[in-house]
Amino acid sequence: MIRLLRILGLLVLIAVVAVGVLFWIGRDRGATPAASVDLANLGPDQRQQMLERGRWVARAADCAACHTDPDGGSDLAGGLPMVTPMGSVYGTNITPSTEHGIGDYSADDLYRAVAQGVAPDGRNLYPAMPYPSYHRITRADSDALWLWLMQQRPVDKPNRPDDLMFPFNIRPAIAVWNALFRPEAEPFDPQGLENPQGEYLVDVLGHCGECHTPRNLAYALTDDHLAGEVIEGAYAPDLRPDALARRGWSGEDLVAFLHRGLSPQGVMTFRMFPVLSHSTSHLSEDDLSAIADYLADGTQLPGPQQRPPGGATAMDGHALYLGLCAGCHGDNGQGQPHSSVPLDTNTTAMYRDPLNLIRIIAEGIPERDLAQGERMQAMPAFGGMLSDQQMAELVNYLRERWGGRPGDVTTGAVTSVLERNESH
Amino acid sequence: MAGRINFTASINGQQVGPLDLPEDLMMVELLQEYLNLTGTRLSCGQGVCSACAIIVDDPEGGSRTVPACITGVAWLNGKTVRTIEGIAGRDEQGDPVPSPVQQAFLDHFSFQCSYCTPGFVNAATVLVERLERAPIPVEDVEDAILKALDPHICRCTGYVRYYQAVRDVILSTPGLTIGTVAAAERPA
């Protein structure tokens, strides 16, 4: 018995030491590169150039996606919830308010927060702040962003406390997570890269992988870069070249989708809609082409494919489609410009996971001003009109007819998706 | 080339069919072109303006309106439907008597051109019937009216008179609400 206790004690001691070491490693925020310019002595032209670059960085990095004020009035005053399995965290106020925002931040402070996930008081930021992606931001871009942020209108809105369950509400524990999962902060080096602009936009500023890359049990990004992940109740699809080709994307359509929010493959929905309005719709065609090229990674993307008809489609699903969907989407899924997306080239039915398809049919999509004058009318919610069995029949019909997927979604799977997402 | 379906339904209490119809026929076309029920108005044709709202009665799930312009006969096959022609009652001589909702719209001068009116009548009728089954607190009435009529577009009267008429019907019909309305708020 005593021997057992000794062994147990030793194991506890080893665990404590290991956690202590990890904590110590994680507390080390790494080197901070020197400021790119003397920010106290900027000439007017240089200042103007940096402000323009800063605005570009803020848009490309989509700060507003999380830091916007859901009550309106400011894209940077915070308050938007991010729902995770551990609870909710709320976007913070990053206006230059000295009381509630980041008005006291130096340019060094901003770099450490953005690239290393550490606030000026040494407090660890939750990795909902995508510093694992931003860690390669260049110091020059961080400085330009700082200059631009400090030019914005301060909003004295207090931050909302996070709502995380134990033990995830112990902030210092993030140091241990950082030791294990935070990449080293290495400023982006374009030397030798084939498409540096595309890589910088997708992997660093755009932080696409934060939603599109699968996470492990510790909620850290895995090595399956951009392989698709369910996040905040929706499936963020696989963006790897083969998957894009299979779903009938072309480079041109990717650019259109990011520029206007719409392409034959679909319309921006769920958390991609704010990405369009805050970020991608403001990027130049060169930037968007670089993103599309980087995602294609040399693979020839063929564009929409005429799919051979799938297996025998269920007649029940066919009647539901004609009765409820065809009035807008057309008998053959051709859609109507600016009001209903075509379904014959839409990618939503092509995902293995029927989550998005079920939620969109059940919840509908609000009317939206997309970008560059493009808009779509509302899609009604059909959740109240369809039993779970009918929903399964309709989903299976869409998967078989246009998704190239088997009609294997069960009524139980539909019930489970709808129950899980009642709160969204 | 669309297939055909064998369609039957109860429309305004009358059994319709069996009819051999194109399977992709939209309900508004069946009503107007096949059944001569022309009161249902086709406007946007995209399910957005609700001028063509008709009532579908589901014995289990209750009644709801659906836009007849984008709802196909394939969905309504076998169902029980009411259109604007089925809302008014009849007196002893067989002459039409406006329903309380229709009378309130007349009393409040709720419409001018009337193109949207059948849709508003049907939506308000469904709301009143829902409150008969499940009354709501008086203070929630305006929100309930807003929610029920919000999808309906009117270009003439600015909605207020429709809303006031429905509020009048709900507050003056016993059993639709719980609690009492303050004297100042009582409709004239």
Side-chain angles (χ1 to χ4, degrees):
Chain A
M1 183 68 192
I2 289 175
R3 192 173 165 173
L4 193 70
L5 282 175
R6 274 191 189 149
I7 292 172
L8 208 62
L10 194 64
L11 286 175
V12 169
L13 189 68
I14 289 170
V16 168
V17 170
V19 169
V21 168
L22 287 174
F23 180 76
W24 181 75
I25 293 171
R27 287 284 294 169
D28 178 18
R29 58 172 74 123
T32 302
S36 56
V37 288
D38 180 0
L39 288 158
N41 293 296
L42 293 174
D45 290 349
Q46 191 184 16
R47 186 180 175 78
Q48 190 54 38
Q49 278 172 11
M50 279 185 71
L51 282 171
E52 281 168 25
R53 179 74 181 181
R55 186 176 67 163
W56 178 84
V57 173
R59 286 173 166 175
D62 201 3
C63 306
C66 296
H67 291 283
T68 193
D69 181 347
D71 299 329
S74 168
D75 280 350
L76 305 170
L80 193 75
M82 271 150 280
V83 183
T84 76
M86 289 78 72
S88 292
V89 290
Y90 297 90
T92 52
N93 183 338
I94 56 166
T95 72
S97 159
T98 46
E99 194 177 348
H100 300 293
I102 62 167
D104 290 335
Y105 274 41
S106 67
D108 279 352
D109 290 336
L110 185 74
Y111 177 83
R112 289 187 194 114
V114 169
Q116 298 163 341
V118 181
D121 59 5
R123 200 165 37 96
N124 288 109
L125 304 181
Y126 282 111
M129 168 72 177
Y131 58 85
S133 294
Y134 290 159
H135 76 280
R136 286 198 295 160
I137 190 172
T138 64
R139 181 64 206 245
D141 278 349
S142 174
D143 290 341
L145 177 63
W146 177 82
L147 198 67
W148 183 81
L149 283 171
M150 294 304 158
Q151 283 286 308
Q152 303 310 302
R153 181 172 57 87
V155 179
D156 287 327
K157 179 187 173 186
N159 285 317
R160 183 164 172 183
D162 297 319
D163 188 14
L164 290 168
M165 63 178 80
F166 180 82
F168 305 105
N169 54 359
I170 308 172
R171 255 181 203 272
I174 300 167
V176 176
W177 190 94
N178 283 341
L180 294 170
F181 303 113
R182 180 180 61 187
E184 291 297 311
E186 295 162 358
F188 186 80
D189 181 3
Q191 293 291 321
L193 296 177
E194 204 169 304
N195 177 359
Q197 185 72 346
E199 182 168 338
Y200 190 54
L201 282 165
V202 170
D203 290 344
V204 184
L205 295 185
H207 62 284
C208 306
E210 296 285 333
C211 290
H212 289 273
T213 296
R215 291 175 182 271
N216 61 22
L217 281 176
Y219 218 59
L221 301 177
T222 62
D223 292 335
D224 293 332
H225 188 48
L226 302 177
E229 173 72 324
V230 172
I231 187 160
E232 293 198 281
Y235 173 65
D238 188 340
L239 301 183
R240 293 174 298 182
D242 286 356
L244 292 175
R246 200 168 50 243
R247 299 201 303 270
W249 282 97
S250 68
E252 209 174 80
D253 289 339
L254 280 170
V255 170
F257 188 66
L258 296 168
H259 183 59
R260 295 188 293 134
L262 183 69
S263 70
Q265 293 76 9
V267 64
M268 293 274 190
T269 46
F270 299 119
R271 285 298 278 261
M272 267 312 274
F273 174 64
V275 173
L276 169 78
S277 51
H278 295 309
S279 179
T280 61
S281 67
H282 301 284
L283 297 181
S284 69
E285 195 167 336
D286 285 350
D287 284 342
L288 298 178
S289 295
I291 290 173
D293 288 347
Y294 179 67
L295 292 174
D297 193 25
T299 300
Q300 186 65 37
L301 298 180
Q305 303 288 296
Q306 205 62 43
R307 235 167 241 287
T313 47
M315 284 314 290
D316 292 337
H318 181 61
L320 288 168
Y321 179 79
L322 287 175
L324 294 179
C325 315
C328 290
H329 293 287
D331 285 10
N332 296 308
Q334 66 270 34
Q336 297 179 68
H338 315 294
S339 67
S340 319
V341 295
L343 297 184
D344 55 352
T345 52
N346 193 285
T347 59
T348 310
M350 300 178 190
Y351 307 144
R352 189 171 48 78
D353 190 333
L355 171 63
N356 293 8
L357 194 55
I358 294 170
R359 279 195 60 195
I360 286 168
I361 297 170
E363 299 167 26
I365 306 176
E367 170 188 296
R368 277 183 173 151
D369 275 331
L370 294 165
Q372 332 302 342
E374 187 59 77
R375 62 188 58 197
M376 292 299 277
Q377 73 171 51
M379 165 163 162
F382 291 95
M385 295 173 73
L386 293 168
S387 68
D388 292 359
Q389 186 189 335
Q390 287 175 316
M391 175 70 87
E393 286 163 1
L394 182 55
V395 162
N396 284 331
Y397 176 81
L398 297 169
R399 280 165 68 89
E400 287 180 342
R401 185 160 181 199
W402 291 303
R405 291 282 175 190
D408 57 359
V409 178
T410 62
T411 304
V414 169
T415 307
S416 150
V417 164
L418 295 177
E419 283 176 356
R420 253 200 330 271
N421 289 288
E422 262 171 9
S423 57
H424 283 273
Chain B
M1 186 69 190
R4 314 282 300 182
I5 62 166
N6 195 28
F7 178 86
T8 56
S10 162
I11 299 179
N12 300 328
Q14 305 285 313
Q15 191 64 25
V16 171
L19 293 173
D20 176 46
L21 298 175
E23 64 176 357
D24 61 348
L25 191 72
M26 290 299 130
M27 188 61 177
V28 71
E29 198 171 342
L30 172 71
L31 294 172
Q32 300 216 356
E33 306 297 333
Y34 290 69
L35 304 179
N36 203 27
L37 293 171
T38 55
T40 299
R41 303 283 166 73
L42 173 65
S43 181
C44 71
Q46 301 179 180
V48 168
C49 73
S50 299
C52 66
I54 57 171
I55 302 174
V56 181
D57 292 313
D58 178 351
E60 286 174 17
S63 300
R64 64 160 64 242
T65 57
V66 296
C69 69
I70 57 162
T71 306
V73 295
W75 165 255
L76 292 161
N77 199 2
K79 291 193 164 57
T80 302
V81 173
R82 279 179 286 164
T83 67
I84 188 65
E85 290 88 349
I87 299 298
R90 298 273 163 188
D91 65 13
E92 287 160 4
Q93 282 76 44
D95 294 328
V97 178
S99 75
V101 167
Q102 288 173 315
Q103 187 61 53
F105 285 174
L106 291 167
D107 293 344
H108 282 259
F109 297 97
S110 297
F111 53 89
Q112 288 178 18
C113 87
S114 87
Y115 204 80
C116 63
T117 309
F120 272 97
V121 168
N122 287 339
T125 301
V126 166
L127 174 63
V128 167
E129 290 174 355
R130 179 162 65 80
L131 299 186
E132 282 171 2
R133 291 190 306 276
I136 57 171
V138 168
E139 56 269 27
D140 295 345
V141 164
E142 292 197 358
D143 284 347
I145 296 171
L146 180 62
K147 200 172 165 201
L149 303 190
D150 207 27
H152 293 254
I153 291 177
C154 166
R155 297 288 79 164
C156 295
T157 63
Y159 306 100
V160 172
R161 287 166 183 271
Y162 274 129
Y163 282 54
Q164 285 173 339
V166 178
R167 184 171 174 271
D168 190 354
V169 170
I170 291 172
L171 294 182
S172 60
T173 306
L176 302 188
T177 54
I178 302 163
T180 54
V181 58
E185 284 187 348
R186 202 179 297 276

